[in-house]
Amino acid sequence: MAVLAIQKYPDPVLKAKAQPVTEITPEIQCLIDNMADTMYQAPGIGLAANQVGALHRVIVFDITPKEEGRNLNVIINPEIVASSGELVQQEACLSVVDYSCDVRRKACVTVTGLDREGKPVCIEAKDLLAVVLQHEIDHLDGILFIDRISRLKRSLYKRQLQKSLKK
Ligand code: NI
């Protein structure tokens, strides 16, 4: 297993759409292991394959509080099949350096997909888990949380980023 480099905005791979996994090969299993390592090392609570430069529809996440140990979750080809309500929560992203912002999302989502053995899974999520799932599935479609905030806030972030890159 290995910790992979996390691609940072504005890397174009973050804007690309990831492709469905048609077969769970050893390469996909290895990608999952490496994504988990990368997420825990960061540390983060979710990671999508685009963020490590792999355009496969794979997400990993773990929202377990640190003191309760680890509970890794993997979904291959995740899809939101139902959603309801709304919430606003502050989000950040391992691919968007030094920035966090309130984002409006669905409060409850039902997500289907496959686990790492290829068995169908269905997760009903609310609150933080619902946010994480929507954030990570967005990544697979080339969407970042800064694409879901106002144009003004986004341009302020871009200016801040340019300034920090010049330093
Ligand atoms: Ni993210």
Side-chain angles (χ1 to χ4, degrees):
M1 292 197 273
V3 171
L4 306 171
I6 296 177
Q7 305 305 308
K8 305 278 166 43
Y9 173 85
D11 192 293
V13 77
L14 298 170
K15 283 268 171 210
K17 214 170 148 79
Q19 297 305 306
V21 173
T22 53
E23 194 188 345
I24 302 171
T25 58
E27 286 74 25
I28 293 290
Q29 296 280 1
C30 179
L31 173 66
I32 290 168
D33 289 338
N34 291 342
M35 283 173 64
D37 273 7
T38 306
M39 174 181 74
Y40 287 123
Q41 147 98 27
I45 56 174
L47 193 73
N50 304 45
Q51 293 181 273
V52 293
L55 291 174
H56 301 293
R57 298 188 80 83
V58 175
I59 62 171
V60 297
F61 55 95
D62 186 350
I63 60 159
T64 316
K66 210 176 175 188
E67 62 275 11
E68 289 174 29
R70 287 178 178 181
N71 179 26
L72 178 66
N73 279 279
V74 178
I75 309 181
I76 297 166
N77 300 338
E79 212 175 314
I80 296 169
V81 294
S83 63
S84 62
E86 273 197 350
L87 59 71
V88 174
Q89 191 164 302
Q90 194 172 62
E91 292 185 30
C93 178
L94 297 172
S95 295
V96 179
V97 290
D98 295 332
Y99 191 65
S100 59
C101 190
D102 281 350
V103 181
R104 183 181 301 275
R105 298 210 187 251
K106 297 293 184 187
C108 304
V109 290
T110 305
V111 174
T112 61
L114 303 173
D115 70 11
R116 64 179 306 163
E117 275 79 43
K119 275 185 250 135
V121 290
C122 179
I123 297 180
E124 283 184 35
K126 58 180 177 134
D127 305 326
L128 176 62
L129 184 57
V131 170
V132 170
L133 287 168
Q134 290 169 86
H135 178 119
E136 301 311 331
I137 293 171
D138 263 358
H139 273 300
L140 301 179
D141 291 322
I143 298 166
L144 299 173
F145 81 94
I146 51 172
D147 296 317
R148 294 200 179 275
I149 62 178
S150 72
R151 192 176 296 183
L152 176 66
K153 283 183 183 164
R154 189 162 54 247
S155 63
L156 287 172
Y157 171 65
K158 286 182 184 174
R159 216 173 299 162
Q160 175 195 318
L161 182 68
Q162 275 167 0
K163 248 189 233 164
S164 71
L165 291 176
K166 271 183 213 150
K167 270 181 205 162

